[in-house]
Each structure stands twice: as C-alpha cells, then as structure tokens.
Amino acid sequence: QVQLVESGGGLVQAGGSLRLSCAASRSIARFNAICWYRQAPGKQRDLVAAISSGGRTTYADSVKGRFTISRDNAKNTVYLQMNSLKPEDTAVYYCNAVSVVLGREYDYWGQGTQVTVSS
C-alpha cells in the first residue's frame, strides 16, 4: 500500500509564500503522475498542478505564474512552491499519485494539509 504524507501547510498573509511537500512511501519515479489538488469548504476538489514521470508540468489557470510543482526522486518527494498567495488559495491541499498498470489506473491520496491565507 502506498502512503503519501503532506506537510508544509499553515497560516500566511496575502502575498506570502508556502512550500508544500508530499513524501511517498515508495519510489515516485514509478508513478505516471503526481498531482496537487485543493478543496475549499463547500466546493469540489480541483486540480492545482501535476507533474508527469517525464517531468512535464500542468497548472490550473488560477495558479499559473505563482505556483511551481517539482519533484526530487532521490527523496521520493514532490513539492508545491506557492508564491503571491491570495485569500482564495485557502483550502485543504491534497497530494495524489497516479499509477497505470496494464491499462488500469490506481489513485493514491494523502490526508491533506490546510493552507489558510489571510487578507
């Protein structure tokens, strides 16, 4: 069973920065993609950023130019650097790892980390 553990959330003022970490219990190089999602109270869980096994990155329009996803295969960790934070970035942020084996997709989720941006 794969375990993902997020850390780095907290309370920050608007305009500030945070770096989230997602540590995996096994080699992240074996996942097809690792993603960050977020869910604000009363809203659906939305994709924030993703990084493929080949290093290709994807971002939601709302975070482009402010957030950066990266990976350190040696540490089995994926990061989300969040700059110029806005109150609307407030949410629980979840790490998601996707593995495709013989055409079947397997999804793994972390427990989430709270990010609160004050105005």
Side-chain angles (χ1 to χ4, degrees):
Q1 182 70 355
V2 176
Q3 291 186 331
L4 302 173
V5 179
E6 302 101 330
S7 61
L11 174 63
V12 64
Q13 288 188 333
S17 298
L18 284 173
R19 188 178 79 157
L20 305 184
S21 299
C22 171
S25 60
R26 76 173 199 197
S27 171
I28 62 173
R30 297 172 61 184
F31 293 113
N32 294 79
I34 299 182
C35 313
W36 284 97
Y37 284 77
R38 67 186 180 188
Q39 186 168 23
K43 296 188 177 181
Q44 66 181 18
R45 189 173 296 188
D46 292 324
L47 178 67
V48 175
I51 186 165
S52 72
S53 57
R56 183 174 298 178
T57 58
T58 303
Y59 298 94
D61 288 342
S62 60
V63 306
K64 282 181 181 177
R66 300 188 298 122
F67 290 11
T68 303
I69 189 171
S70 62
R71 59 194 296 156
D72 185 336
N73 287 354
K75 295 183 178 180
N76 292 329
T77 301
V78 173
Y79 303 98
L80 184 68
Q81 178 66 44
M82 306 186 295
N83 299 327
S84 302
L85 283 162
K86 304 175 181 180
E88 51 263 43
D89 294 318
T90 296
V92 178
Y93 284 70
Y94 296 91
C95 181
N96 164 251
V98 180
S99 181
V100 179
V101 179
L102 297 177
R104 181 175 178 178
E105 182 175 304
Y106 296 85
D107 278 271
Y108 305 94
W109 291 90
Q111 82 288 351
T113 185
Q114 176 71 47
V115 171
T116 302
V117 184
S118 63
S119 57

